[in-house]
Every structure is written in structure tokens, then in C-alpha cells.
Amino acid sequence: KGSISVVSTNGEVSVAKMFAGDMANVGSNSGNVVIGEVQGKKVVLFSQGEDAKIKADNIKVQDYLVLQGDDVALKKLIVAVIKVL
């Protein structure tokens, strides 16, 4: 289990691939967020800048997904369903 966070206070964040056992957090306070592939039990993507965009090619999430931004473009989203017995 592990978490990873990539956050920028100024400028764009661009990540080709990110895999976390627990939480994957990627964001920018003033720029675009561009993700090739991100996977985690919990995934948080945010962009707070004016005209900033979130672009993600492939998101795989197990428990929850948070997307915060004005302009979000997703190509593929996979949500795993967990069966509790």
C-alpha cells in the first residue's frame, strides 16, 4: 500500500503513468493537469487555475474518484466493483 502526490503551485503538471496502491493525487493551483494513465484505490485530480484543464487518457479507480476543475476531458474511465461477502 502506498500513496503518491504530484502537485504544482505554478504551472502545468504532466504525468505519463502513475500507479498507487492507495491514493493517487495530481493537481495544479494555476495550470493544466495532463495524465496518460493513473490507477489507485482513490484518485484525486484537480486544477484551480483560470482556463486550466484536466486531460486524462486512462483512469482506473477502485473506491472513489474526485475531479475538480472547470474543463475536464476523459478518454477512458474504469471503476472496479468490489463484492463484499
Side-chain angles (χ1 to χ4, degrees), residues 11-79:
E12 180 172 291
V13 174
S14 182
V15 177
K17 292 184 181 183
M18 176 185 275
F19 302 98
D22 189 34
M23 178 179 278
N25 180 35
V26 182
S28 175
N29 289 329
S30 66
N32 296 332
V33 173
V34 181
I35 304 288
E37 182 176 358
V38 61
Q39 180 175 335
K41 288 179 78 174
K42 304 166 196 148
V43 175
V44 177
L45 304 178
F46 72 90
S47 181
Q48 298 178 353
E50 187 176 326
D51 297 325
K53 297 174 173 67
I54 297 173
K55 297 177 186 176
D57 290 339
N58 189 352
I59 298 174
K60 295 179 184 175
V61 62
Q62 184 176 339
D63 292 342
Y64 69 81
L65 171 65
V66 176
L67 297 172
Q68 176 187 330
D70 292 335
D71 189 348
V72 179
L74 304 177
K75 287 189 178 178
K76 186 175 183 181
L77 172 63
I78 297 172
V79 179

